[in-house]
Amino acid sequence: MNPVTRQLDTTELEERVKRMYGEVALDPGHEFHFETGRALAERLGYPAHQLDAIPPGAIESFAGVGYFLDLATISPGDAVLDLGSGSGTDSFLAALDAGRAGRVVGVDMTEDQRAKAQRLAERHNFPQAEFRAGHIEDPPVDDGAFDCVISNGVINLSPDKPAVFAAAAHALRPGGRLALADIVSARQLPDGVTCDAALWAACIGGAMQRDTYRETIEAAGFTIEAWRENDAYRFVSDRATSATRKYGVTSISLLARPG
Ligand SMILES: C[S@@+](CC[C@H](N)C(=O)[O-])C[C@H]1O[C@@H](n2cnc3c(N)ncnc32)[C@H](O)[C@@H]1O
């Protein structure tokens, strides 16, 4: 007798993620399972004076899970790829560091997020930032074209994390780096959580067990150089908070390099 195995419905997941983050772009004041906006960014460690220098419309829809740009050390002239750029907070901050001699490409599958970031780039004069529609598992970019790949709060949402880390490795030039913040868990989440597309879309269900997460990055050819816990990140709804407590779901930031 074949046991009935529960499986995540990835089509439903993508629809839910697009619906949820479309709302984050269009109606950022709405209450989600997670915090959003400037107060969150400041609590996570984003320097206020840097936030003052980017479009407020991006920050109101910020839905990241940790600060990691200190690890990314973006310099003038750098080419940066932001996987799951949302409304663009990290892309705009990276664009300030990369300057007009550099460039930032943000990729996101949710049209309202991508379109908002692109509008803000044009309105606030960030010609070095560009936002493309696409999936982070197969981003629409050339191989070997970037000095730094960044991502914030996104890879946990992907049902194919090995493909995301492989895509990051392909996008990087020799000597490039990957810097990100994401959600991981201390214990392997049970099927009841990992097969729940609603909990995935809320950045919990897709949290990979932390050792497996590290191994998945290393399997894509990276060496992890820095790893830190972001204690300041927390979920807000009762359901999310209880899953978080039970399985040790936390935010981390990391820096990794190919080789
Ligand atoms: C938690 S939000 C974070 C957005 C942004 N990085 C920030 O810090 O505000 C996750 C974003 O990732 C996008 N996303 C999730 N899964 C994706 C995928 N497989 N391919 C492309 N974008 C994805 C969503 O559309 C959403 O905009």
Side-chain angles (χ1 to χ4, degrees), residues 27-53:
D27 184 15
H30 184 92
E31 207 169 284
F32 301 96
H33 283 287
F34 45 85
E35 286 177 274
T36 52
R38 177 152 185 151
L40 167 65
E42 287 195 20
R43 186 154 45 74
L44 292 177
Y46 282 77
H49 70 276
Q50 290 180 11
L51 295 173
D52 289 340

Side-chain angles (χ1 to χ4, degrees), residues 14 17-18 21-22 24 34 46 58 61-65 82-90 107-111 113 134-137 151-159 164 201 203:
E14 179 162 335
V17 168
K18 285 178 170 169
Y21 293 100
V24 169
F34 45 85
Y46 282 77
S61 295
F62 172 71
V65 300
D82 186 359
L83 294 176
S85 39
S87 288
T89 295
D90 294 303
V107 171
D108 205 289
M109 69 179 187
T110 301
E111 179 53 20
Q113 292 269 54
H135 288 84
I136 59 172
E137 295 81 1
S151 183
N152 196 348
V154 183
I155 299 172
N156 70 89
L157 292 167
S158 172
V164 179
C203 279

